Structures are given as structure tokens and as C-alpha cells.
Amino acid sequence: MIKRFSAFIRTRSPLHIAAPGSMRFDPSTGKTVYGGQSIGVPCTGIQREVLFNEAGEAKHFPVIAANNISGRLRRHAARIVLEAIRLRGQKVSLAVYNVLQCGAVTGNPDGKDMSLGEYRQYRDDPYFGLFGGGPKMMRRCLEVENALPVHADTTANLGNMAHPHASRHAQGDHFTDVWGFRRNDDLRDLVNIHQAAEVVENFEEEFNIRQQAILGEVDREKGSSKTSVKTYSALEFVRPGTLFDFSILMKRAISDAQAGLFLLTLDSLAETERLGGYGRNGFGRFSFDDVIVLTDDGEEHRDAFHDGRLNREDPLVAHVLSAWHAASQDIDAAALANLIAPLPGATPEQGAA
């Protein structure tokens, strides 16, 4: 069945995945620097991965980390499984819900060795066979790769793991921009001051106290004020239209039902997710472009997705979705509960979902 999923993640709006650091942005030059407090304004940078190209040069590329995507995929798969349970008129325990959402009930896994029966039970389950987890911390089957911008250096570094069409889409070196912005302080700027006077208790007294505090802080701290909400800052982001090389490899053979759940999970991710931060401002929109699904027989299927969404008319897609639908009819809340916390005397094979 499905062995590998390859695609380009195309940013449809600015992408901002924040990274810690002391970056500053100088509006006069449009450049960013690290360290120091005297240049420009604070700037929130993005996550990057360092690669050494064939010339031995260290190159810093924006990255969408694998754990970022895999965590989102897990939650979308959990939503699909929970919907199947809801349609059966059932509910799950909080423990089962936690395991489906993040892979564990608590931060202290069982720690005991997994028996062969337990391994088979987890491996054959549509959800756990893909995403792993549970008290025995079953290893997930999905091997999600960091997504890096399509570039001659990243394609060379990825080798045979690069998208088959990566060389056709080589991009330049400039993937990011920086925006500077200001949070306004209406009271400090005397905006709608008449409205404030009508609705704020003890307006004259309170406003004068606040204004004097702001003026005093500005004098002492050379223009800054902790009392005012007026601030200047900047934000780094990946430009819209950037292509990221993205792939998921199956570490072992999966069933048709698991393949169906996998493709539905990717479709759900593409439909509703926003990658990174500032989604409320339109950041993080993306699509899957040029999707290639490689099956165990070495055949490349290029019609599984169309216009960034799952093509349910494609024969391969229709086949695995049918298998998932059949398997979803047998998903049972009690069986999942027994899977993560077997009842006393129960055998590993009892209640498999």
C-alpha cells in the first residue's frame, strides 16, 4: 500500500513560525541583526535549519519542523476517529481522548516491555498503527521529514528523499521579509477622547495620572514607557508563494484502512489548518502542490490530490477510503479503553479496535 507521500507545501500567505532570539530590525536599512539593544526595534524571527552545501558553506533556511506537522496530523486523525465513535452514539474516557490527541495519558509512560500480542494489536489498529502512542509508547509508523524551501542546496542535501520534481522549481536565496508595526495607544494619542470622557469612571483624574506617569517614564527612559501600550516591533515571515519540499515515509507496510485514514488526515489538514502563528491575521495559509503517492509496488500515483485537496474519484483513493469506512464501523470506545488500559484478566487480543 502507500509507502511515501511527497508534495510541495506552497505558502498562500505569510508564514511565521517563531523562534527565540534577540533579533532586532532597523527600519532605516531594512536589515535585521542579532544581539544588542541600541539598534532598531525588537523583531520576532522565524525557525531556521542550518545546512552545509557542497562548497562547505553554512546556509540558514526557513524550516517547518517535522514535529510541528506530525502533531497537527495526529490531532486531525484523532478528530476523524472520534467522529466515528460519536456516530455510533458512544463517548470515550478522558484518558482515551488524551492518548488520541497527544499520544499519552500522562508524562509518565508505562515503561514495561511490550508483548508480541500487544504489538500486533497496536500495529493493526487504524489509528495507533499510524501514529503510535499509548502507555507502551508504540512507535509511530509515519516518518515525517522537516519541510525545507525548494533550493539547489536543499535538494542536493536531501538526495533521493527530495521531491522528484524539486529540480524544476529551484528558488532563489531570499525567502523572507520583515514587517515593522506599531501598537497604538488611543488615550496617549488622544483618539476618541470625547468617547472616553463619557464612559470612563473619574476620567479627568485617572487620565491625568496616567498621562503624567507616561511623561515621567519617557523622560527617564529616553522615549520608552511601560505605562503606555504604544509599542514598536517587527515580525519576520516567509514570503507567500514559497515552495517547501515535504515528505512522509512509512517505516513499514500499512493496511488499506490505515492508508485511507492517512489520506483523510492530510486532506483535513489542508482544508482547515493554518501553519505557524498569526492565523487570526491571515498568516499560515498553504496548499499541497504536485502530490505524488508512492505505493509498495513502486508505482507513483499523481492524481490522489487535485487543487490541493483529496481527489476521492481517483481509484487508489476510492479503494483505501472504502477500506477505512469499513474499519471505522468497528471502532469502539470500550475497545480503545481496553487497548490503552487492559481490564484485569483481559488478553491483548480482546477488544481490538
Side-chain angles (χ1 to χ4, degrees):
M1 192 25 65
I2 294 177
K3 183 176 182 180
R4 180 181 170 189
F5 173 89
S6 297
F8 296 122
I9 294 177
R10 181 186 294 274
T11 58
R12 297 293 181 178
S13 65
L15 170 67
H16 174 79
I17 302 176
S22 55
M23 179 184 285
R24 309 282 294 186
F25 172 64
D26 186 353
S28 64
T29 64
K31 296 182 179 181
T32 56
V33 296
Y34 286 90
Q37 298 293 322
S38 60
I39 298 176
V41 298
C43 180
T44 305
I46 61 169
Q47 290 185 8
R48 283 183 165 81
E49 182 174 334
V50 180
L51 295 180
F52 288 93
N53 63 16
E54 293 180 348
E57 302 167 320
K59 305 289 287 288
H60 296 72
F61 291 98
V63 62
I64 306 174
N67 64 342
N68 185 323
I69 298 175
S70 62
R72 294 170 188 267
L73 287 173
R74 177 186 287 277
R75 286 171 174 79
H76 280 272
R79 182 188 63 79
I80 295 169
V81 170
L82 290 168
E83 177 63 11
I85 291 173
R86 186 190 69 80
L87 291 175
R88 297 190 66 181
Q90 300 178 351
K91 291 188 176 182
V92 299
S93 67
L94 185 60
V96 169
Y97 182 84
N98 277 345
V99 167
L100 291 176
Q101 293 293 330
C102 65
V105 178
T106 70
N108 298 306
D110 188 318
K112 297 179 181 178
D113 292 336
M114 182 181 293
S115 68
L116 179 60
E118 288 173 326
Y119 170 77
R120 287 173 173 166
Q121 188 180 11
Y122 276 103
R123 180 200 62 191
D124 296 339
D125 181 84
Y127 173 87
F128 287 106
L130 288 173
F131 294 94
K136 303 291 187 180
M137 295 308 292
M138 173 74 174
R139 292 180 181 273
R140 70 176 179 227
C141 176
L142 305 181
E143 189 173 272
V144 183
E145 301 292 332
N146 285 347
L148 293 166
V150 179
H151 183 275
D153 290 338
T154 60
T155 299
N157 184 272
L158 289 171
N160 62 6
M161 286 301 295
H163 190 287
H165 301 159
S167 59
R168 304 178 189 175
H169 302 280
Q171 302 169 112
D173 292 326
H174 302 292
F175 297 106
T176 64
D177 278 323
V178 175
W179 279 338
F181 57 91
R182 185 184 78 174
R183 180 183 293 112
N184 293 319
D185 186 331
D186 283 1
L187 289 179
R188 181 174 177 179
D189 295 337
L190 302 182
V191 175
N192 291 332
I193 203 70
H194 297 295
Q195 173 183 274
E198 292 176 351
V199 300
V200 176
E201 293 180 342
N202 303 318
F203 173 74
E204 294 286 344
E205 179 182 353
E206 295 294 335
F207 178 76
N208 286 331
I209 293 173
R210 184 174 183 275
Q211 190 174 50
Q212 290 303 313
I214 291 173
L215 293 175
E217 288 172 350
V218 169
D219 289 341
R220 290 193 302 272
E221 301 181 25
K222 298 180 181 180
S224 66
S225 169
K226 294 183 178 63
T227 302
S228 174
V229 298
K230 184 174 183 176
T231 59
Y232 293 86
S233 55
L235 184 75
E236 184 183 30
F237 61 90
V238 178
R239 294 171 174 174
T242 300
L243 291 180
F244 284 79
D245 195 328
F246 174 62
S247 67
I248 301 175
L249 182 68
M250 301 297 171
K251 292 187 286 188
R252 56 171 176 75
I254 62 173
S255 68
D256 289 349
Q258 289 169 338
L261 177 58
F262 171 65
L263 291 181
L264 283 175
T265 299
L266 285 166
D267 188 51
S268 179
L269 179 81
E271 178 186 19
T272 62
E273 275 285 4
R274 297 292 181 267
L275 298 176
Y278 290 89
R280 64 188 183 277
N281 294 331
F283 280 38
R285 291 191 293 110
F286 74 97
S287 65
F288 287 130
D289 285 13
D290 201 355
V291 173
I292 298 176
V293 175
L294 179 68
T295 51
D296 291 333
D297 58 7
E299 185 176 354
E300 292 185 350
H301 297 262
R302 301 175 183 274
D303 297 318
F305 278 70
H306 179 68
D307 287 339
R309 295 297 308 281
L310 188 63
N311 177 15
R312 296 168 187 257
E313 302 301 318
D314 176 70
L316 171 68
V317 174
H319 173 72
V320 298
L321 290 188
S322 177
W324 157 250
H325 178 73
S328 69
Q329 306 306 303
D330 296 327
I331 294 179
D332 179 77
L336 286 176
N338 187 54
L339 188 61
I340 70 166
L343 298 172
T347 64
E349 287 74 19
Q350 288 178 325

